[in-house]
Amino acid sequence: FRLLGLVGQPGQRGAALIEVDGQPPRPVSVGAVVDGQLLLLSVNRRAVRVGLTQDDPAAFELSLPEPPRE
């Protein structure tokens, strides 16, 4: 999984652009399926949470790459 971009505003659900297994990236809304049974659980400023349910102890986070330093 690779997080390439995200969109989110306070009070709105948000979405992320996620690449899975080298396939072309696709937009995924919060609550939608990322891959198999994995859902996009939340979007924050620089990362997203992915898991089976909101309380999934095995949920994981994907972060955006750090921007290049000049």
Side-chain angles (χ1 to χ4, degrees):
F1 297 95
R2 190 167 76 146
L3 179 62
L4 300 173
L6 49 86
V7 177
Q9 292 182 330
Q12 295 186 2
R13 295 175 60 105
L17 187 61
I18 299 175
E19 177 186 300
V20 178
D21 292 331
Q23 297 297 312
R26 63 182 183 80
V28 182
S29 298
V30 170
V33 173
V34 175
D35 185 51
Q37 294 181 345
L38 293 173
L39 306 174
L40 182 60
L41 301 177
S42 64
V43 172
N44 66 37
R45 190 172 155 94
R46 296 206 39 89
V48 298
R49 268 185 81 239
V50 177
L52 298 174
T53 67
Q54 285 294 341
D55 300 322
D56 181 2
F60 60 93
E61 187 170 284
L62 299 172
S63 298
L64 286 173
E66 289 296 320
R69 295 184 187 241
E70 294 183 22

